[in-house]
Amino acid sequence: MTELSAKEEKILWYIYAMKHVSRKSLLELSHYKAPTLYRVIEALVQNGYAEVSGSEEYGSKGRPGELLSMNSRHAYVFSICILRETFYCAVVDFSNDILTMEEHRLIPGMTPEQLADIARQDFSEACERLGLAEDLFLEIGLSAVGPLDYANGQMLRPLYFLAGEWKNIPIVKVLQTRFNRKVYLDCNARAALMGNYLPNYFERHQNVVYVTVGNGIGSGLVINRKLMLNHNIILDGFAHMTIDMDGRKCTCGEYGCVEAYVSVPAILAQCVEEMRLGIDSSMKSHMDHLTLQDLQRAVRTKDALAVIQINKAANIFAKCILNYLRMVELEAVVLGGSLIEAVPEFYDRVEQYARERNSSVMFYRSTEKEKNILRGIASEIVMRYIFGE
C-alpha cells in the first residue's frame, strides 16, 4: 500500500462514500483549490485506488465532466454478520459492492468453531469462484449481535440467540485462528448505520443517528460525516437510557431502561399482562406464546389492545429520540429492525410524534438489513485502511 497524504485520504473517502462523483462535487466538499484537487486525484488514479468511471451528462462549458469512483479491484473485504437466528458471509469489493453473499441458519447447540468453519469454507469457495487470491483481502469484518466486549473480542451472552448460550465467547480469536488474518469487530447497529448512510445520506446529511428496534435496541451515530466509535462501552447507550428509575427491570439488571419498554419482548409482555388482567383481544388465543407476527396481525386488524400498546411504545421511543436531539444536533433519524419492518404503524407514530415537536429532523426507514450490515462493516474496514488505523 502506498502511504496516503491527509488530502488523499480525505478525497478517497469522499469518492468511496459517493460511489460516482464529479470533480465539481469534490471541489465543493473538500474546499480545495482546483490544481490541488486535480493533483490529488491524479495520484489516487496512478496508484490504483480510484479510476475514471464515466462522465456526467453536462459539464462546464457544455462538455461532459469526468466521474470518479473507487477501483473496485484494488482490494476486497470478507464480511461476516451474526444475527440472532442466522449469519451471513459476503465478499465486498473496494467500491462497497457485494459480489457474493451466503445465508446460514444458526442451529441450537452450534459452536463458535462450527460457525467459523462454515465462514472459512464460504471464503475459500468465493475466492475460487471469483478468481481472487486471498492476499487481496484486507481484515475480516465481523458484525455481531450484542452485547460485545470489544477490548477482548467477545460476544457476551446474546439473548434470544438460536445457537444457545454463547457466554463470553472469544469470537474474534476463533475467527482469527480459522482465517489466519486480523478480524475487526463491531456491533450490527453501527454496521447497519454505515450501510445505510454512505449510499443514501452522505451528501444530504452530516449528522445522523441510526436506531434498530427488535428483540433489543441498538444505535449508531455519524457526526460531521464521521462514524462515532466508543468501543469502551459494552451496553448500548440509547437502549439503556433510563426513563424511569423505579420502572420495569431490564435484561441488563437495571430498572427503567428504554429497552424494557420498547423492544419486541417488552411490548409482547405488556400485551400478555393486560390480557391476564381481563382486557379482551384477538391475541388472547396466542397469549401463552405470543409472537411479533401475532402482534402484527392484531395491529393490522385494528385490535384495540395491540394498537394501544404499539402507540404507547412508539410515544416513549419518540420522546427518547427527542431527548437525543436535544443533546446532539442531528439532521436525520434512520430506523430499522424487526419491529420497524413488521409494524409500520410503529414507525409512522414515532415519526408523527417526533416531527410534531421537532419539524426540522428527517426520518427514514432502513431497508435491506442484512446487505446494509455486510456493506457497513466492510466500509469500516476500508475506512481503517484509507486512514491507516
Side-chain angles (χ1 to χ4, degrees), residues 14 46 69 103 109 119 122 153 156 158 196 208 213 230 236 270 275 293 300 313 334 337 374:
Y14 285 154
Q46 285 183 350
S69 66
E103 176 184 2
D122 281 356
L156 302 178
N196 277 278
V208 176
V213 191
N230 191 347
D236 185 85
Q270 193 61 29
M275 287 187 285
Q293 288 68 38
R300 285 180 178 174
V334 183
L374 292 164

Side-chain angles (χ1 to χ4, degrees), residues 13-29:
W13 180 244
Y14 285 154
I15 295 172
Y16 180 80
M18 298 169 69
K19 296 284 275 188
H20 301 284
V21 57
S22 67
R23 292 174 187 261
K24 179 182 177 182
S25 294
L26 289 173
L27 280 169
E28 292 171 353
L29 279 168

Side-chain angles (χ1 to χ4, degrees), residues 72-79 89-94 97 99-100 119-120 122-141 179-182 378 381-382 385:
S72 61
R73 304 168 302 283
H74 180 79
Y76 300 85
V77 176
F78 190 70
S79 296
C89 300
V91 172
V92 185
D93 68 20
F94 203 55
D97 289 325
L99 303 183
T100 67
R120 186 65 178 84
D122 281 356
F123 178 60
S124 298
E125 291 176 355
C127 287
E128 184 176 352
R129 188 160 64 250
L130 296 169
L132 299 176
E134 293 189 6
D135 61 6
L136 288 173
F137 284 77
L138 307 176
E139 296 172 288
I140 302 296
F179 282 85
N180 193 30
R181 66 181 63 229
K182 287 184 178 180
I381 299 295
V382 172
Y385 176 75

Side-chain angles (χ1 to χ4, degrees), residues 10-11 14 25-34 36-37:
K10 183 176 180 177
I11 296 303
Y14 285 154
S25 294
L26 289 173
L27 280 169
E28 292 171 353
L29 279 168
S30 66
H31 303 294
Y32 293 158
K33 293 181 179 179
T36 300
L37 175 65

